[in-house]
Structure formats: structure tokens, C-alpha cells
Amino acid sequence: MEIMEGAEAKVYRERLLGIDAVVKDRVRKAYRNEELDREIREERTKKEARIMALASRGGAAVPMLLMVRGNAIVMTYIKGELLSSMLSSAHRRNLGDIFVQAGGLLAKLHSLGINHGDYTPANLLVDGSGVVWAIDFGLSDTGNSDEEFALDLLLMKRSVKKREYVQFLNQYVEKSGSSGSAVIKRLKEIEMRGRYQSRSLLTA
Ligand SMILES: Nc1ncnc2c1ncn2[C@@H]1O[C@H](COP(=O)(O)OP(=O)(O)O)[C@@H](O)[C@H]1O
Ligand SMILES: [Mg+2]
């Protein structure tokens, strides 16, 4: 059963040795040279799998990597709802605790040296017990730079309401200590740069 067809991959469910699994299969891009396409997909699949394994080994709430099969990642299925759909639902409840967890989870990923690359409510799953899981490590990296970490925060900031971002950020700061302060400092610099740039565009 297909869950979703994204830009890069087909995602579907499968039973694997009795485990409820999700297969994320990078599909061929017709416009790319066949050989090059195969290399790109293989490389991205390996990288995503490596980062997922690193994250779960470090104790972050991410699906467990079960295997890599060709250009497909097989991982445990998380039964839950995307935070993005919870946010858009009519009877929107108080999601304060969810944003607190999201902040703690990002601090955990950063402490493992992982920047997520697409940390938005569309890549967070909330399971039946209210636990928040991060998915989609397709744009992730392990570079350890404050700039990349700050961009994770900025993307969340731009994706949610102010109050939600504050709940998220407070927990991030609390859980990430002094390394988190350096990231916040960098975030402020990035925002200043952005403001400066748009002002200079206006006055140019
Ligand atoms: N481990 C998982 N458990 C449950 N659903 C998942 C899992 N991984 C992905 N999904 C579902 O598949 C969708 C697409 O997966 P994702 O990794 O975000 O790929 P894309 O790069 O296309 O956004 C997600 O939005 C989610 O609904
Ligand atoms: Mg996604």
C-alpha cells in the first residue's frame, strides 16, 4: 500500500519478518542520465540510512533502520499523524507538549552532530501515545556546523505560530546547553543578515 509519492521517493508499507515496515524507494528521474541517476540515488539512500542509524543508535526518536535494499530504505512503521495535519485540523487542540518534544528531539539530533535539513511539522509524526518522531532524513547531514543547526531552527520558526516556536525553542535551549547558545547566536546573525539584505534590496 502506497502511503505517499514525494518528489524523490515512493513510500509504502510492507510486512517484513512480522515487522510493520515502511519502504522509502527513490525512484528514477527520467531527465537524468541513467548511470548518473543510479549513482545519485544510491548515494542519497546510503547517506539517509547512515544518518537514521546514527540517530536511533544515539537514542533519538526516529524510525529504526531495518535494511537498505537497492535504492530503498526499509524502516519501522510509526503509526501516527503528521504534526502538519494536526495543525491544520479543525479541532486543533493545545499542542504545547508536542512542540516541547519537537525542541528536545532537535537538540538530541544536533548533539549527535546531525542537522535534519527539513525540520518542519510535515516531517514530524505524533504517535498514539503523543510521542513525537522525526522522519525524512533525505536532506540531513553530519557536518556539525552551527550555521546548519541554526537553519533547522529558522525553518521551524517560519513554519509555525510564534507561541509554538517559543515552546519549541525554550526546550531546545534547555536541552542543548552551551552548544545551543552558540546556535541561537548564529541564528540571530542569520536573521540580521536577512534583514540587512532585504533592506539593502529596498534601498538599492
Ligand atoms: N517510518 C514511517 N512511519 C510512518 N509513516 C512514514 C514513515 N516514513 C515516512 N512516512 C510517511 O511517508 C511520507 C513521506 O515520507 P518522507 O520520508 O517524508 O519522504 P519525502 O521526502 O517524500 O517527504 C511522510 O510524510 C509520512 O506520511
Ligand atoms: Mg517529508
Side-chain angles (χ1 to χ4, degrees):
M1 179 185 68
E2 192 165 316
I3 301 183
M4 211 187 101
E5 184 154 6
E8 295 257 326
K10 273 196 161 80
V11 179
Y12 54 91
R13 284 172 71 179
E14 188 179 286
R15 290 290 287 183
L16 183 83
L17 302 172
I19 299 173
D20 217 347
V22 164
V23 182
K24 182 172 178 179
D25 195 359
R26 283 200 158 69
V27 288
R28 187 162 180 234
K29 299 263 187 191
Y31 61 80
R32 276 199 299 242
N33 165 282
E34 196 171 337
E35 177 84 359
L36 180 66
D37 182 75
R38 188 152 25 81
E39 278 171 24
I40 290 175
R41 283 186 293 153
E42 195 181 308
E43 194 186 299
R44 291 194 183 156
T45 302
K46 274 193 200 153
K47 187 173 188 185
E48 185 169 356
R50 179 178 65 78
I51 293 176
M52 285 186 71
L54 177 67
S56 53
R57 223 182 309 130
V62 305
M64 189 193 285
L65 175 72
L66 297 173
M67 64 156 104
V68 175
R69 194 167 62 199
N71 289 314
I73 289 173
V74 189
M75 65 187 110
T76 51
Y77 170 68
I78 309 295
K79 187 173 161 49
E81 197 180 351
L82 287 174
L83 179 55
S84 52
S85 73
M86 293 170 78
L87 291 174
S88 59
S89 106
H91 28 264
R92 183 174 167 162
R93 56 183 182 88
N94 182 7
L95 297 172
D97 169 63
I98 304 291
F99 283 100
V100 169
Q101 283 189 60
L105 178 50
L106 188 63
K108 179 85 198 177
L109 291 172
H110 287 181
S111 77
L112 296 167
I114 300 167
N115 73 283
H116 185 281
D118 198 12
Y119 205 72
T120 69
N123 285 321
L124 291 170
L125 273 169
V126 182
D127 74 15
S129 330
V131 174
V132 177
W133 299 75
I135 60 166
D136 197 355
F137 289 81
L139 293 171
S140 303
D141 219 328
T142 46
N144 259 321
S145 101
D146 285 347
E147 176 93 8
E148 300 299 315
F149 294 153
L151 289 173
D152 276 345
L153 295 175
L154 187 58
L155 189 58
M156 182 59 81
K157 184 174 187 177
R158 290 187 175 161
S159 310
V160 300
K161 295 208 164 92
K162 174 108 196 258
R163 186 168 61 93
E164 295 162 342
Y165 176 69
V166 169
Q167 288 163 327
F168 161 84
L169 189 68
N170 284 344
Q171 185 71 359
Y172 177 85
V173 169
E174 187 170 327
K175 292 288 173 192
S176 57
S178 59
S179 51
S181 312
V183 175
I184 306 291
K185 186 160 168 268
R186 179 57 71 99
L187 173 61
K188 285 184 183 141
E189 284 164 18
I190 295 172
E191 291 186 299
M192 288 302 288
R193 248 188 266 154
R195 230 168 272 151
Y196 175 75
Q197 273 164 8
S198 43
R199 198 165 49 223
S200 58
L201 281 176
L202 286 173
T203 53

